[in-house]
Amino acid sequence: MAQLDTLDLVVLVALLVGSIAYFTKGTYWAVAKDPYASSYANANGAAKSPGARNIVQKMEDTGKNCVIFYGSQTGTAEDYASRLAKEGSSRFGLKSMTADLEEYDFDNLDTFPDDKIAFFVMATYGEGEPTDNAVDFYEFISSEDSSFSNGSSATETPLSSMKYVTFGLGNNTYEHYNSMVRKLDEYLTKLGAKRISAAGEGDDGAGTMEEDFLAWKDPMWDELANAMGLEEREAVYEPVFEVTEKPEMSAVEDLVYLGEPNKNHLEGKSKGPYNANNPYIAPLAESSELFTDETRNCLHCDIDISGSNLSYTTGDHVAVWPTNAGKEVDRFLDVLQLSEKRNTVITVKGIDATAKVPFPSPTTYDAAVRYHMEICAPVSRQFVSALAPFAPNEAIKAEMSKIGSDKEYFQTQVAHKNLNIAQLLQVMGNGERWPNVPFSLFVEGLHKLQPRYYSISSSSKVQNKKISITAIVESIERPGAPHVVKGVTTNYLLALKQKQHGEPNPDPHGLDYAIHGPRNKWDGVHVPVHVRHSNFKLPSDPKTPIVMVGPGTGVAPFRGFVQERAALAKAGEQVGKTILFFGCRKPSEDFIYADEWKEYGEALGSNFELVTAFSREGPQKVYVQHRLKERAEEINKLLEQKAYFYVCGDAANMAREVNTIVGQIISTQRGVPESKGEELVKAMRTANQYQEDVWS
């Protein structure tokens, strides 16, 4: 073979480099920047470089003197942060910004100027844990080994120049009620920071979150104004976002988002990782009705994740991204006199550089409302006040102002009637439309439409490419209320199930869901999902006994648990005692998975026992709590053998009562005081021997 001289090598290398450059253009280099990059892709203020992760520098560069950090799991804390930023600006002239905790580093907080203020709006998640976006921040601020930019350690009060305010979002049905804000307050004080005003705490468990927030914020503003020398001014609406109609654009143009969550989905090139910012459009593999009661629906859905990089382990949660029902989208657009403009293209941009646009644009009014705005949620009293100046006439304005300022009047006129925002405007307008309300006010004042989380009801060891969901289709009626509240996501799933079973135009309860998705990309049998990992897990040793309490759809994760143990037994592994306490109304109506429990029992033999409680079968109502008391001796023996105890379902009543009963069982069976029984249950929780997957 002839040898290559130096010139030949140079030419070959040049050709090779040129070829690589040609074929990778637009993929690895010279990539066109998305002019309408969404907030999901770190647009409008999200940190993109190491320098952008310095919050103090960011505030200096943008002229801010107030930052509201938020730790949010479902969007509520983020919403409160936005409201505080807006109110601080409009009432006191603060130059405020919101900040997602995961987008910044915190070693530079020791340089936080003493003429600025930091708010922390912190939700408590699960068993006293930080929300996903607050994990790194919490680990840093709570560690005694953390070091700050000026070289000081956590023991040298490095935050002595920082002033801060805190508000927590919690649920009193959980043992660690508002523990995040309480611990954060403790750590910040220990690091030398000075809190302005009392820490606020909102209670979702008591249903008072909104009123707790409103009651806290007014005295807080007074104290903050005194501490920083702020002067209150008349609050006027100052938009955070600029909404611009684009009559020269058509909704059919490829650049226009019609509900796609980000650019990859818009271009039909969806790719992972799939997460809370980027859903996987998953095929609905199977669906069925679990109830025989024709007045209610309970769905079983199997979601196929084989075409994605998604994975789960038994006990995890699946998030379903819903769309709003067409009926409510139509109502919303109609009351704002936007029906004729529903397909008008609009752009939404932050007026301030730090404002994060909550959805991608250009889009349309219809797509923004249908796919991105929480239009069916309960209305906040503060938002009613914000809408009052834009009322169709002075009489309606006065009534809206009264509702917004009077807590009791708000309860009777709005909260007790289960009204969503469009329903309220319809009632208040009495036939008149509300064309004067800026659309930007709704973009700012309504939550982003959030994914709904469901306990996965299958075992990853049995079906690792299919995720099962077990869900009651929500329908809430209240005496005197003009509307029945229909669950946004469960009725969406019901429409998908109807489509899969042959109904050409599924329309549960006349809700009219756009199940085909934007540009018909979801063809009626796909659903956007992602997986959230959970700490609700089986013991690592399958020989460990387990006791599970799951009435109604609280049985969902336990179907996965039992399914997994049955598979292990079939494979010849030794499996420990497995007891499931399940409750429902009647065995003839809502005894879900009845045949499956028999199959699992055959595989597990005497190691499996299903204990049922039927609340409407006999003369007296029987619940799982009663059955637990009846089996007190056996439960205590299993707990002495280090059995794991699991509860899934209603947090406010059932889970709390079960917690008490387990303490009482330990007390009576072991002959110790009830207080000792309670201590032992707490010790079980600490050791992960007592686990809950509950909701309020």
Side-chain angles (χ1 to χ4, degrees):
M1 181 176 178
Q3 289 188 335
L4 297 177
D5 61 23
T6 303
L7 180 61
D8 291 332
L9 286 171
V10 170
V11 171
L12 283 172
V13 169
L15 287 170
L16 179 61
V17 170
S19 299
I20 292 171
Y22 177 81
F23 287 111
T24 61
K25 182 179 180 181
T27 303
Y28 295 108
W29 71 284
V31 180
K33 184 179 179 182
D34 178 13
Y36 305 108
S38 76
S39 59
Y40 298 109
N42 290 329
N44 284 324
K48 299 181 182 67
S49 66
R53 293 188 64 84
N54 183 330
I55 187 60
V56 177
Q57 187 64 51
K58 182 74 170 281
M59 293 177 73
E60 290 293 337
D61 291 346
T62 55
K64 304 300 181 186
N65 59 2
C66 172
V67 59
I68 298 98
F69 294 108
Y70 58 86
S72 187
Q73 196 71 28
T74 62
T76 307
E78 181 179 1
D79 174 63
Y80 282 140
S82 297
R83 287 163 61 178
L84 288 168
K86 192 171 179 59
E87 187 171 356
S89 174
S90 62
R91 283 181 62 186
F92 298 98
L94 284 168
K95 304 299 182 184
S96 50
M97 63 175 286
T98 60
D100 185 332
L101 281 166
E102 71 179 350
E103 293 180 353
Y104 296 94
D105 298 324
F106 296 95
D107 57 341
N108 46 52
L109 286 183
D110 58 342
T111 65
F112 198 88
D114 61 5
D115 62 345
K116 302 185 190 296
I117 183 72
F119 285 64
F120 294 89
V121 183
M122 307 295 292
T124 298
Y125 171 60
E127 294 298 310
E129 302 152 20
T131 55
D132 291 346
N133 75 317
V135 170
D136 290 344
F137 165 70
Y138 182 72
E139 288 179 355
F140 177 85
I141 212 75
S142 62
S143 173
E144 293 187 358
D145 297 326
S146 295
S147 60
F148 290 82
S149 62
N150 288 331
S152 53
S153 68
T155 59
E156 298 175 281
T157 61
L159 303 187
S160 56
S161 65
M162 173 184 274
K163 297 184 182 75
Y164 73 96
V165 171
T166 57
F167 182 79
L169 294 80
N171 187 318
N172 71 14
T173 60
Y174 290 78
E175 181 184 2
H176 302 283
Y177 172 62
N178 260 315
S179 66
M180 279 309 302
V181 76
R182 294 176 183 181
K183 290 176 182 176
L184 175 60
D185 189 40
E186 175 188 333
Y187 293 133
L188 288 174
T189 301
K190 186 176 178 181
L191 291 167
K194 180 185 177 184
R195 174 164 46 77
I196 307 297
S197 186
E201 294 186 357
D203 187 1
D204 190 44
T208 59
M209 180 73 76
E210 178 69 14
E211 291 301 332
D212 293 338
F213 174 73
L214 296 179
W216 163 79
K217 74 177 183 64
D218 286 333
M220 178 277 296
W221 284 125
D222 290 340
E223 292 185 53
L224 183 60
N226 289 332
M228 295 188 68
L230 305 175
E231 290 189 14
E232 186 169 2
R233 60 188 187 181
E234 183 181 356
V236 293
Y237 175 62
E238 298 173 346
V240 175
F241 301 111
E242 179 183 47
V243 178
T244 306
E245 294 184 358
K246 295 288 185 180
E248 72 277 11
M249 295 185 72
S250 167
V252 300
E253 291 183 33
D254 291 343
L255 278 176
V256 178
Y257 291 83
L258 297 182
E260 296 91 349
N262 54 45
K263 187 180 178 185
N264 283 334
H265 283 274
L266 178 68
E267 296 178 344
K269 298 185 297 188
S270 169
K271 57 185 178 181
Y274 298 106
N275 51 37
N277 296 326
N278 183 37
Y280 172 59
I281 312 303
L284 184 63
E286 297 173 41
S287 58
S288 60
E289 173 62 55
L290 296 175
F291 283 178
T292 55
D293 177 0
E294 294 184 358
T295 64
R296 298 185 297 151
N297 296 98
C298 183
L299 302 178
H300 174 91
C301 299
D302 280 335
I303 295 167
D304 185 351
I305 59 170
S306 60
S308 72
N309 63 350
L310 286 173
S311 63
Y312 77 100
T313 55
T314 310
D316 281 346
H317 301 138
V318 62
V320 176
W321 295 47
T323 67
N324 283 310
K327 178 180 179 180
E328 294 303 328
V329 174
D330 293 346
R331 188 198 308 275
F332 185 91
L333 294 173
D334 176 67
V335 79
L336 296 181
Q337 211 166 301
L338 288 173
S339 294
E340 307 248 326
K341 288 186 170 185
R342 69 190 313 144
N343 295 318
T344 297
V345 176
I346 57 173
T347 58
V348 183
K349 296 182 179 179
I351 292 174
D352 185 277
T354 63
K356 292 181 68 175
V357 180
F359 49 82
S361 75
T363 184
T364 64
Y365 286 116
D366 184 287
V369 175
R370 188 179 302 274
Y371 292 98
H372 299 296
M373 297 166 68
E374 197 79 79
I375 62 172
C376 295
V379 182
S380 82
R381 184 158 61 89
Q382 188 176 12
F383 193 53
V384 175
S385 294
L387 290 168
F390 305 101
N393 58 51
E394 289 300 316
I396 297 173
K397 177 180 177 180
E399 181 69 1
M400 290 286 282
S401 297
K402 181 180 180 182
I403 290 173
S405 60
D406 188 325
K407 176 180 175 181
E408 299 304 322
Y409 195 55
F410 172 82
Q411 290 296 316
T412 59
Q413 297 301 308
V414 182
H416 290 166
K417 294 180 180 178
N418 284 346
L419 297 177
N420 65 36
I421 188 60
Q423 291 165 354
L424 171 65
L425 297 184
Q426 277 187 334
V427 171
M428 296 302 301
N430 195 24
E432 291 203 53
R433 306 291 196 277
W434 294 65
N436 298 325
V437 186
F439 192 72
S440 58
L441 182 55
F442 291 104
V443 177
E444 299 158 19
L446 298 180
H447 291 195
K448 287 186 293 186
L449 185 58
Q450 294 291 326
R452 271 55 167 182
Y453 291 93
Y454 299 91
S455 302
I456 294 176
S457 57
S458 54
S459 163
S460 57
K461 292 187 184 299
V462 175
Q463 51 179 74
N464 67 336
K465 294 302 181 183
K466 282 185 184 177
I467 288 175
S468 294
I469 294 177
T470 307
I472 290 270
V473 178
E474 297 285 351
S475 183
I476 303 169
E477 294 186 55
R478 178 174 280 181
H483 300 278
V484 177
V485 177
K486 297 293 184 181
V488 172
T489 309
T490 51
N491 280 282
Y492 170 55
L493 290 173
L494 177 58
L496 290 171
K497 179 253 181 187
Q498 291 176 348
K499 176 69 174 178
Q500 189 171 59
H501 286 255
E503 293 190 31
N505 298 297
D507 189 16
H509 311 296
L511 294 172
D512 185 26
Y513 281 92
I515 59 174
H516 293 277
R519 295 181 169 88
N520 295 318
K521 290 177 179 177
W522 304 347
D523 70 26
V525 287
H526 284 69
V527 59
V529 299
H530 72 269
V531 171
R532 182 175 73 187
H533 297 295
S534 161
N535 293 323
F536 194 74
K537 299 299 178 190
L538 280 164
S540 56
D541 183 355
K543 295 190 293 295
T544 303
I546 61 173
V547 179
M548 300 162 287
V549 182
T553 53
V555 81
F558 303 136
R559 176 180 180 263
F561 283 17
V562 178
Q563 189 181 72
E564 184 158 312
R565 287 203 154 190
L568 291 172
K570 281 184 178 179
E573 287 202 44
Q574 188 177 343
V575 174
K577 187 71 175 180
T578 303
I579 300 181
L580 171 61
F581 288 83
F582 170 74
C584 63
R585 293 181 182 180
K586 295 181 179 179
S588 58
E589 290 182 3
D590 52 359
F591 188 0
I592 60 179
Y593 301 121
D595 292 336
E596 284 192 27
W597 303 127
K598 293 175 183 175
E599 292 176 19
Y600 300 144
E602 290 173 4
L604 289 163
S606 61
N607 280 325
F608 177 65
E609 187 173 359
L610 176 66
V611 182
T612 55
F614 302 116
S615 62
R616 301 189 185 181
E617 180 71 2
Q620 293 185 321
K621 291 186 176 182
V622 179
Y623 297 108
V624 289
Q625 295 92 312
H626 299 114
R627 296 300 191 216
L628 282 169
K629 290 178 181 178
E630 293 169 1
R631 307 292 289 267
E633 183 178 355
E634 183 179 6
I635 288 171
N636 179 61
K637 285 181 179 177
L638 289 171
L639 294 179
E640 288 180 326
Q641 296 168 24
K642 301 302 180 184
Y644 275 44
F645 195 96
Y646 300 91
V647 185
C648 182
D650 164 45
N653 299 302
M654 182 276 298
R656 181 174 281 184
E657 290 174 14
V658 167
N659 182 88
T660 301
I661 289 168
V662 173
Q664 291 171 346
I665 286 172
I666 291 172
S667 169
T668 54
Q669 293 295 314
R670 302 183 192 180
V672 298
E674 257 189 54
S675 58
K676 180 65 175 176
E678 292 170 3
E679 284 179 25
L680 291 171
V681 172
K682 285 184 178 179
M684 288 171 61
R685 287 178 178 274
T686 303
N688 269 342
Q689 192 186 342
Y690 191 114
Q691 298 182 28
E692 289 181 327
D693 183 3
V694 294
W695 57 84
S696 56

